[in-house]
Amino acid sequence: MVTIVDSKAKPRHPEKAHKPDTPILKKPEWIRVKAPGSPVYAETQKIVRANKLVTVCEEAGCPNIGECWSKKHATFMIMGDTCTRACAFCNVKTGMPEALTRDEPEKVADAVARMGLEHAVITSVDRDDLADGGAHHFARTIKAIRAASPGTTIEVLTPDFLKKDGALEAVVAAKPDVFNHNLETVPSLYLRIRPGARYFHSLRLLQRVKELDPAMFTKSGIMVGLGETREQVMQVMDDMRSADIDFITIGQYLQPTRKHAAIDRFVTPEEFKGYETIAYAKGFLMVAATPLTRSSHHAGEDFARLRAARAGKS
């Protein structure tokens, strides 16, 4: 009997392996960040490893990991490290995921309690292979955190639950404090950047959250620097406000590898400041628009400001 061992490592993004390399632009000074390495960073890493958890901070190659982990803030990514989608911008591994880890919600809750988080952010890979898209796993995780750390506020950053009837309702019924789902880019770029998703479905998802629970905060974000125009960004803002979204995040797209979508340009800090001013004028309660803005960057501080903004308007 002969056993053939395939020693060639499976590519992280097999669907992109055949694509030609794209150039990677040199980052301007305003994009540079310090390398991680503080004692608190190491402690956060130890807790994550001890609970065998996945974080989007690591999987997506977030530039803010050093800052966030040094403040004991991490965004937990549930349901594994392998996504069933193949977005052109994302560095999370793609392929067929493994079965759900049954005790993952409790492990996440334990990490939240041990880290003493005032605000926890839970996201996930897309799980198109599951009948509910993983919605009930989200709900179980929220419930577990409430039991282990009652004072912690919870923010979820969910997939779009495309063609998953009842999925959204299950997550909203679990009562997260913030429901976040990113539109990611302008509609005209969806086919190239986010081919597995539908812009108006994502928009409707967020609108439906408000219909189910008007008191729940909703949040969404886009990347810029992919080839969108200023007018298109402002139209997305209008679409979000039509869906009654409370909080918008806008950040610079950074190309993970030469196989990913190329950066069209680096948007200047001054342009981001302009977007912030326009977004507030359009009625958002909270706006985060800087080159290094990411969905969960400063999430705890931003949630406190979001609540204060709503209270100030009532």
Side-chain angles (χ1 to χ4, degrees), residues 3-11:
T3 302
I4 299 176
V5 178
D6 184 3
S7 60
K8 187 177 181 181
K10 184 180 178 181

Side-chain angles (χ1 to χ4, degrees), residues 13-14 25 31 44 58 81 84 119 138 141 154 169 171 175-176 178 186 195 199 206-207 213 225 263 275 286 293:
H13 305 283
L25 302 180
I31 291 291
T44 301
E58 295 174 292
D81 64 355
T84 55
H119 187 77
F138 262 105
T141 303
I154 301 171
E169 289 77 6
V171 179
K175 296 285 185 181
V178 181
V186 302
Y199 177 80
L206 289 155
Q207 184 180 43
D213 188 344
I263 295 173
Y275 282 141
M286 183 70 198
T293 289

Side-chain angles (χ1 to χ4, degrees), residues 116-136:
L117 298 184
E118 294 181 1
H119 187 77
V121 183
I122 310 300
T123 189
S124 79
V125 290
D126 274 283
R127 291 297 302 256
D128 296 314
D129 58 311
L130 301 175
D132 68 347
H136 288 89

Side-chain angles (χ1 to χ4, degrees), residues 91 157 192 266 292 299:
N91 198 38
L157 171 56
R192 178 167 66 88
F266 287 103
L292 288 172

